[in-house]
Amino acid sequence: MHEKTITPIAHIRSPYKEKFGIPRQSGLVPEAVAEIVFEPKYRNPDALKGLAEFSHIWLIWGFSEVADGVFRASVKPPKLGGEKRGVFATRSPYRPNGLGLSSVRLLEMKPDAKDGTVLVVSGADLLDGTPIYDIKPYVPYSDMHPEAGGGFSDVHKTDRVGVHFPEPLLSKIKPEHRTALQKILELDPRGSYEKKPEAVYGLHFAEYEVHFKEKDGILCVTAVEQAETAGKVK
């Protein structure tokens, strides 16, 4: 059997401009909208015939910010306070082949004079520019398993934190980004074992750098700046 080399068929245009702040699973922030732009070789309309009949699609993609060949047999899931699990029991990026899997809602198939047909999706958990290696339809009768157990991930699946976003700062955010940004903060981008008392964190979302800190268990937004001029605070 011959080994195969895979190459990207597309890349994603996403409001997530850095790893910090990306939801840890797809679908958690459906208000975050992204676009899938195909590579010129794959801009054949025939390849997309019938896709619009499906409400959701699977994306198979690559962890673009992890060096090739980085493999860790055990990793620390961010919600477990430093406890380790086997990499194949997690969705950690430190995998033998660095592949990710996400289920997203297909909102629109948009014709574009420059880029061909662009797929508009919601609920993606991909960094801006992430390479996409394949797209498959989500088929509910076989892909959905309501009785499935979620292991250790079930313990924290409803975790949320309170967020205080002062109106003068919220007004600096475009209306179409406000709900998504609020939900990203409610998910608490910080790993449970990385939280630093009194630290100010910076989250780059769309064209904004949003600074926040924790006070009495609530994430309080302290500043909003245009990302082009904002300093990185972590």
Side-chain angles (χ1 to χ4, degrees):
M1 185 171 63
H2 298 289
E3 292 185 357
K4 292 185 177 180
T5 300
I6 61 174
T7 57
I9 64 165
H11 66 275
I12 196 162
R13 292 174 182 159
S14 160
Y16 301 113
K17 306 303 180 181
E18 60 183 12
K19 181 180 175 183
F20 185 72
I22 296 178
R24 296 183 179 98
Q25 307 292 345
S26 58
L28 293 180
V29 183
E31 292 80 6
V33 175
E35 295 183 338
I36 296 170
V37 181
F38 288 91
E39 300 299 326
K41 180 179 179 180
Y42 301 105
R43 293 175 188 172
N44 185 332
D46 289 343
L48 298 175
K49 187 176 181 180
L51 188 63
E53 299 174 26
F54 296 88
S55 66
H56 292 71
I57 55 178
W58 289 108
L59 305 179
I60 300 171
W61 49 275
F63 288 99
S64 54
E65 286 206 340
V66 177
D68 290 342
V70 176
F71 168 60
R72 297 178 183 173
S74 60
V75 296
K76 298 178 181 179
K79 289 289 189 178
L80 293 188
E83 293 182 22
K84 289 188 175 183
R85 292 291 189 275
V87 67
F88 298 128
T90 75
R91 297 189 176 183
S92 166
Y94 300 105
R95 325 187 69 79
N97 292 303
L99 295 177
L101 178 69
S102 297
S103 173
V104 299
R105 177 180 286 275
L106 179 59
L107 299 177
E108 181 185 359
M109 296 174 61
K110 181 174 68 174
D112 185 278
K114 177 184 176 183
D115 297 322
T117 300
V118 173
L119 306 185
V120 183
V121 301
S122 71
D125 54 343
L126 281 70
L127 183 71
D128 185 45
T130 293
I132 296 173
Y133 293 106
D134 205 357
I135 295 171
K136 299 178 186 290
Y138 179 96
V139 181
Y141 81 85
S142 62
D143 292 348
M144 184 171 59
H145 303 280
E147 77 287 359
F152 63 84
S153 68
D154 277 349
V155 178
H156 297 283
K157 66 181 180 181
T158 59
D159 286 0
R160 300 292 185 276
V161 296
V163 174
H164 175 59
F165 209 137
E167 182 59 35
L169 297 179
L170 185 62
S171 65
K172 294 183 178 183
I173 307 293
K174 291 179 181 178
E176 61 266 30
H177 291 315
R178 292 176 187 173
T179 301
L181 184 52
Q182 179 85 15
K183 289 191 174 182
I184 290 167
L185 292 170
E186 289 174 0
L187 290 168
D188 196 348
R190 305 168 301 165
S192 60
Y193 54 92
E194 298 173 331
K195 297 176 183 178
K196 302 176 182 177
E198 304 304 318
V200 177
Y201 297 82
L203 186 156
H204 186 176
F205 179 78
E207 64 262 45
Y208 310 103
E209 184 82 15
V210 179
H211 296 171
F212 65 91
K213 64 185 298 184
E214 181 180 345
K215 183 178 180 180
D216 300 327
I218 295 175
L219 298 190
C220 302
V221 177
T222 59
V224 172
E225 303 172 5
Q226 288 295 310
E228 292 79 6
T229 59
K232 295 293 182 182
V233 180
K234 284 274 183 73

